[in-house]
Amino acid sequence: MALRLVSARMGPFLRQRTLAAAAALAQQRGFAAAASDDEKLTVTVPVPFKTHKIDPPSQEVETSKAELLGFFTDMYKMRRMEIAADGLYKSKFIRGFCHLYDGQEAVCVGMEAALNYDDAIITAYRDHCTHLGRGGTVLEVMAELMGHRDGCSQGKGGSMHMYNKQHNFYGGNGIVGAQVPLGVGVAFGQKYNKLPNVTVAMYGDGAANQGQLFEALNIAALWNLPCLFTCENNHYGMGTAEWRSAKSPAYYARGDYVPGIKVDGMDALAVKQAFKFGKEYALQNGPLMLEMDTYRYHGHSMSDPGSTYRTRDEISGIRQERDPIERIRKLILSLELATAADLKAIEKESKREVDEAVDAAKSSPQPEEKLLYDHIHSGTPANFQIYGADRQHVTVKL
Ligand SMILES: Cc1ncc(C[n+]2csc(CCOP(=O)(O)OP(=O)(O)O)c2C)c(N)n1
Ligand SMILES: [Mg+2]
C-alpha cells in the first residue's frame, strides 16, 4: 500500500517541490531505481510518548523513502537558511529582532507531514522555518528579513512577521503568548464553519506560564474547539532555564482537564505521528496539548550569544546525540534508501538554493513609501501621517 504523501493541499508546495527535487537528484545519481519512493516503511520511534489523560499514539510510524528524503532536504534547507541569516545579521544586511530556529527543524517538518494547508498554524517570533513549512520560499524569508519588497510581508514585517494567508499561516507574532488566544479564535472559525481542519497554536516554554494561555484553553475545552496547543519546549525562555520559571515543566500535563502528549521534538517521525493522532483527536473531541521536547542551538535572538546561561557541553551534547537532521541521515543510511554521497548532493543543492535566494533578496528593492499605508487599516483614514523616530520629521503624508 502506497502512502498518500501528496494529496490535495497536503503541504503541497514545499513537499512537491522537495520531492520533485529529491527525485530528480536521485535519478541523476541513480538511487531512484531502488525501492519505490512511496513504498510503505514502518519505523519504530525510540522515545515513548508520555501522556496525560489519554492513551499514547503508536510508536510504529508509517513513512516512505520519499518522505524521509523530503524531511532531510527540508530540514537541511531550513538549517542553511538560518545559518545564512546569522551571517547576514552580523554583516548588517538584517537589522532589528531576529530569532533563529536551528535545532528545532523536526517540529516544523513533522507537523507539516501530518497537516494540510487548510489546517491553520499560528506561532511566535521564531517563525522563519514555519514559513518555509507552509510552502513559502527562501527568497520570501530572506527578503523579509532584509526589509525588501520580495519578502512574504512585502518587506514591512521583518523577522517576527512572516505570513501566508493563502496557506493559513497566521504569523509570526512578537507578543509572547498572544498568538494562543488568536489561534483559538481561528479554531473557533473552523468549527463554526464546520471545516474538517484544526489550528496549531504554537508557543514556547516561557509563554507556557502565561495566564492568557489558560483562559484560551478553558474556552477551547468548553466549546470543544479543534485546537492543538503546541508547546515547543526548547528549555529556555530568553536566558531563563525552564526550572527557574516553571513549577512544573511537564507542559503536556498542565492543561488539567485537557489531555496532553509529550513528544521527542527532535524526531520528525515522532512529531508527525503526534500531529496525525492529534488532528484526528481534536476534530472529534476538542483541544489537545502537545509538548515538543526540542532545543535551540542559537541564543534567544541575535543579541544573545546563548552561552552564558548554559554550557557549551550541553549544546554540543545535544548536537551529537539528538540533532534532528543527523537522526534522519542515519535512518536513511541504515535503511539504505540513499548513499552518503547522495545526501551530500542534496546538501549541495540546498546550499545553492539558499545562496541564490540570498543574492536575489539583496537585490530586491525596498518597499515604496506609499506602500507603508497598506495592511494597517482596511480603509486608510484621511490625513494619515507617518513620523520618523524623533516625532519631528513627517516621513509620509497622504
Ligand atoms: C508579553 C511579552 N513579554 C515579554 C516579551 C519579551 N520576550 C520575548 S521572547 C521571550 C521569551 C519567550 O520564551 P519562550 O516562550 O520559551 O519561547 P522561545 O523564545 O524559547 O522560542 C520574552 C520574555 C515579549 N515579547 N512579550
Ligand atoms: Mg523557550
Side-chain angles (χ1 to χ4, degrees):
M1 187 182 75
L3 264 191
R4 278 182 66 225
L5 274 177
V6 187
S7 63
R9 288 177 68 78
M10 170 82 107
F13 288 92
L14 181 65
R15 208 156 309 136
Q16 271 173 350
R17 237 190 11 246
T18 299
L19 293 182
L25 258 171
Q27 222 138 24
Q28 278 166 22
R29 306 192 53 87
F31 64 73
S36 109
D37 280 2
D38 290 344
E39 191 180 311
K40 191 175 84 176
L41 303 166
T42 304
V43 174
T44 307
V45 294
V47 180
F49 296 104
K50 274 194 190 170
T51 60
H52 166 70
K53 289 194 172 165
I54 194 166
D55 290 333
S58 167
Q59 280 176 253
E60 307 276 302
V61 184
E62 279 185 14
T63 184
S64 67
K65 171 180 166 178
E67 183 174 67
L68 293 174
L69 285 173
F71 283 167
F72 182 82
T73 311
D74 291 350
M75 287 196 288
Y76 191 80
K77 191 187 304 173
M78 289 170 178
R79 180 81 50 97
R80 289 304 311 173
M81 183 178 78
E82 294 297 62
I83 289 168
D86 172 281
L88 289 163
Y89 196 94
K90 287 172 179 154
S91 49
K92 295 194 165 46
F93 282 96
I94 299 170
R95 290 167 184 271
F97 290 107
C98 185
H99 311 81
L100 303 179
Y101 197 74
D102 50 321
Q104 302 187 203
E105 300 92 343
V107 176
C108 207
V109 300
M111 169 174 71
E112 290 291 359
L115 303 180
N116 63 54
Y117 292 154
D118 291 329
D119 297 311
I121 296 178
I122 187 163
T123 189
Y125 38 80
R126 210 175 289 289
D127 60 349
H128 310 163
C129 297
T130 323
H131 184 76
L132 281 196
R134 287 273 93 181
T137 65
V138 183
L139 171 61
E140 285 167 358
V141 175
M142 284 299 174
E144 194 55 47
L145 292 177
M146 293 184 210
H148 291 176
R149 274 296 299 276
D150 288 316
C152 60
S153 301
Q154 300 177 356
K156 296 185 291 178
S159 168
M160 303 196 288
H161 300 287
M162 305 284 159
Y163 284 95
N164 186 336
K165 186 164 184 275
Q166 206 194 345
H167 290 173
N168 290 296
F169 178 35
Y170 289 84
N173 292 268
I175 308 299
V176 169
Q179 71 277 13
V180 179
L182 296 177
V184 168
V186 177
F188 175 74
Q190 289 166 327
K191 178 145 186 153
Y192 185 82
N193 291 312
K194 299 189 171 44
L195 299 175
N197 296 101
V198 297
T199 297
V200 180
M202 308 181 86
Y203 56 95
D205 47 298
N209 300 309
Q210 282 195 341
Q212 62 181 323
L213 190 133
F214 296 94
E215 295 176 38
L217 193 66
N218 174 60
I219 212 76
L222 195 62
W223 293 346
N224 301 329
L225 302 182
C227 189
L228 298 172
F229 286 72
T230 303
C231 177
E232 286 189 272
N233 180 9
N234 58 17
H235 303 279
Y236 295 93
M238 301 184 94
T240 306
E242 62 181 355
W243 62 269
R244 287 181 183 275
S245 61
K247 176 69 182 167
S248 163
Y251 301 102
Y252 69 102
R254 286 177 50 175
D256 184 8
Y257 42 84
V258 173
I261 306 175
K262 181 173 179 175
V263 182
D264 181 357
M266 304 297 263
D267 181 343
L269 286 174
V271 175
K272 178 183 99 158
Q273 188 80 332
F275 273 98
K276 190 165 169 276
F277 178 94
K279 178 172 174 176
E280 281 164 23
Y281 176 89
L283 285 172
Q284 298 273 324
N285 306 286
L288 179 69
M289 298 197 105
L290 296 175
E291 177 188 345
M292 301 288 147
D293 177 5
T294 184
Y295 199 78
R296 66 164 152 77
Y297 292 143
H298 263 88
H300 167 70
S301 68
M302 288 306 298
S303 58
D304 167 24
S307 52
T308 50
Y309 48 86
R310 56 184 185 174
T311 62
R312 291 201 185 278
D313 284 352
E314 177 182 305
I315 307 167
S316 59
I318 303 264
R319 276 191 192 276
Q320 271 164 25
E321 284 162 33
R322 298 186 62 210
D323 185 81
I325 302 178
E326 293 314 310
R327 184 189 292 242
I328 293 292
R329 187 198 306 274
K330 276 187 204 138
L331 185 61
I332 290 171
L333 294 177
S334 69
L335 295 173
E336 297 185 349
L337 301 174
T339 66
D342 296 326
L343 298 183
K344 281 277 165 231
I346 292 175
E347 290 177 11
K348 205 171 152 199
E349 173 62 19
S350 288
K351 277 186 208 156
R352 191 193 54 76
E353 187 183 334
V354 170
D355 289 348
E356 275 181 18
V358 167
D359 289 345
K362 280 182 181 168
S363 53
S364 167
Q366 290 199 335
E368 292 167 59
E369 275 196 352
K370 65 176 192 305
L371 293 175
L372 293 175
Y373 292 113
D374 295 350
H375 308 122
I376 296 175
H377 302 277
S378 58
T380 306
N383 303 321
F384 192 81
Q385 297 182 347
I386 294 178
Y387 289 88
D390 60 3
R391 291 285 298 166
Q392 304 295 316
H393 170 70
V394 176
T395 315
V396 188
K397 202 169 184 175
L398 261 191

